[in-house]
């Protein structure tokens, strides 16, 4: 079970530039936290009033080390990318509901075909899923999309965990569509920009494939109190609203209004 939310002063252990605008940081947390793929941290930036939500891209329980991957997209993410080893920052988390890891590992063990589909920085939480299943001796295939050659990162890591189809410049959903002509997945786990998730949702709905999507939304508090992150969902009673930070960020693909 994920541990309860707490705000910690964490120490930056390492900082590595993995693409021109993408930086990987490893953060040392105090003992006692457990983090799962799909969960995120609200990280103080030092330059913005509001913290910024950043996905957990890896977690080592033995050392309480958390890995994050940050794309320099504005003031807050730029400041986080510029942190140096030894710096201290405040990070609240883990927050949000994770991907269904038991379902994923049991499914793969039973020979079910589960595909990861990610675009851009949305690949970060999927790397955590891939690493977790690999540590259990399982393989998982991925589809990863990048805007251009300069933005490519993480492919080698995904390749250690299964087959990877990379789309550079094109749409990841086009390669997914082609792959589905020869084999259909039993389910997909996805994270990425809204247009990609919307296209994925349409492709999967057409073929009756279930899945989970992790949504990105601007956030205020990150803990369910301010409603800044509200998004639409379909329920039995029609359209309703959910908080991405508290009810998500991982939602059933069929219920999310993307
Ligand atoms: C659950 C969750 C997990 C995330 N995980 C990561 C991660 O692992 N790595 C990472 O680099 N980023 C991640 N993000 C996105 C990250 O939080 C935003 O890029 C960041 O908040 C932008 O802040 P900024 O101060 O750098 O940019 P700002 O100056 O505030 O904005 C720069 C641009 O980014 C857009 N933007 C800002 N926030 C978001 C957002 N939440 N979604 C979409 N567009 C946004 C703005 O509209 C603007 O165009 C995640 C977001 C969420 C909600
Ligand atoms: S960010 Fe405040 S309710 Fe989600």
């Amino acid at each position: 079970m994920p541990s309860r939310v707490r705000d910690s002063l964490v120490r930056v252990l390492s900082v590595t530039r993995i693409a021109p605008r993408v930086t990987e940081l490893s953060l040392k947390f105090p003992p006692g936290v457990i983090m799962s793929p799909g969960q995120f941290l609200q990280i103080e930036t030092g330059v913005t009033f509001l913290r910024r939500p950043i996905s957990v891209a890896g977690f080592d329980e033995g050392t309480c080390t958390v890995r994050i991957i940050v794309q320099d997209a504005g003031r807050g993410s730029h400041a986080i990318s510029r942190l140096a080893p030894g710096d201290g920052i405040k990070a609240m988390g883990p927050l949000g509901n994770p991907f269904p890891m038991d379902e994923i590992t049991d499914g793969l063990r039973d020979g079910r075909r589960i595909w990861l589909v990610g675009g851009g920085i949305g690949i970060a939480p999927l790397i955590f899923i891939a690493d977790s299943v690999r540590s259990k001796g399982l393989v998982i295939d991925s589809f990863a999309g990048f805007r251009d050659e300069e933005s490519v990162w993480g492919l080698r890591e995904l390749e250690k965990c299964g087959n990877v189809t990379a789309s550079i410049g094109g749409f990841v959903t086009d390669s997914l569509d082609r792959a589905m002509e020869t084999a259909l997945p039993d389910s997909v786990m996805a994270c990425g920009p809204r247009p990609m998730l919307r296209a994925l949702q349409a492709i999967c709905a057409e073929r009756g494939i279930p899945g989970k999507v992790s949504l990105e939304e601007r956030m205020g508090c990150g803990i369910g109190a301010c409603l800044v992150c509200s998004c639409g969902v379909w329920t039995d009673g029609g359209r309703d609203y959910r908080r991405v930070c508290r009810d998500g960020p991982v939602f059933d693909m069929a219920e999310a209004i993307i």
Side-chain angles (χ1 to χ4, degrees):
M1 276 293 285
S3 57
R4 72 189 164 78
V5 173
R6 56 159 123 168
D7 202 11
S8 310
L9 179 64
V10 304
R11 186 75 42 207
V12 177
L13 295 179
S14 66
V15 180
T16 315
R17 185 67 46 86
I18 56 174
R21 295 174 71 84
V22 184
T23 306
E24 176 180 329
L25 295 97
S26 96
L27 309 174
K28 174 87 176 168
F29 271 69
V33 288
I34 301 283
M35 307 215 186
S36 300
Q39 293 190 298
F40 64 96
L41 305 168
Q42 275 281 76
I43 299 187
E44 220 171 55
T45 69
V47 297
T48 55
F49 175 67
L50 293 174
R51 295 182 180 205
R52 295 297 189 243
I54 300 292
S55 303
V56 179
F59 174 62
D60 183 294
E61 195 177 343
T63 58
C64 272
T65 308
V66 173
R67 174 188 186 199
I68 58 169
I69 297 169
V70 180
Q71 178 158 281
D72 186 343
R75 279 182 73 209
S77 50
H78 181 73
I80 299 171
S81 307
R82 304 281 297 178
L83 288 165
D87 285 348
I89 47 162
K90 288 195 97 179
M92 186 172 27
L95 300 169
N97 296 312
F99 282 100
M101 289 310 295
D102 289 347
E103 195 182 307
I104 295 171
T105 38
D106 290 350
L108 291 170
R109 222 172 253 131
D110 293 345
R112 291 170 72 78
R113 205 178 273 129
I114 300 170
W115 289 353
L116 302 178
V117 184
I121 200 63
I123 293 165
L126 304 185
I127 285 194
F128 191 4
I129 298 183
D131 274 347
S132 305
V133 303
R134 188 170 79 105
S135 71
K136 296 183 168 70
L138 298 164
V139 295
I140 191 160
D141 295 339
S142 315
F143 292 78
F146 303 93
R147 198 175 29 208
D148 49 36
E149 288 283 351
E150 274 217 326
S151 331
V152 176
W153 58 274
L155 285 185
R156 241 172 283 150
E157 284 190 83
L158 290 173
E159 278 161 4
K160 283 191 229 155
C161 309
N163 286 325
V164 182
T165 307
S167 314
I168 301 166
F171 294 111
V172 66
T173 41
D174 287 347
S175 31
L176 191 80
D177 213 10
R178 275 194 298 277
M180 285 185 181
E181 285 167 17
T182 32
L184 286 183
D186 293 296
S187 64
V188 298
M189 304 292 144
C191 185
R194 293 250 168 175
M196 182 206 97
L197 295 180
R198 212 174 292 130
L200 176 72
Q201 194 181 39
I203 290 171
C204 291
E206 206 177 290
R207 295 166 173 86
I209 299 161
K212 301 280 181 193
V213 290
S214 179
L215 298 184
E216 287 194 4
E217 197 54 74
R218 294 219 71 144
M219 286 190 184
C221 66
I223 51 169
C226 72
L227 305 186
V228 162
C229 65
S230 295
C231 73
V233 291
W234 295 118
T235 65
D236 292 343
R239 194 187 172 114
D240 203 349
Y241 290 90
R242 296 283 182 272
R243 297 156 301 179
V244 169
C245 67
R246 191 68 183 261
D247 306 310
V250 177
F251 290 92
D252 226 53
M253 187 157 54
E255 82 165 351
I257 301 176
I258 301 172

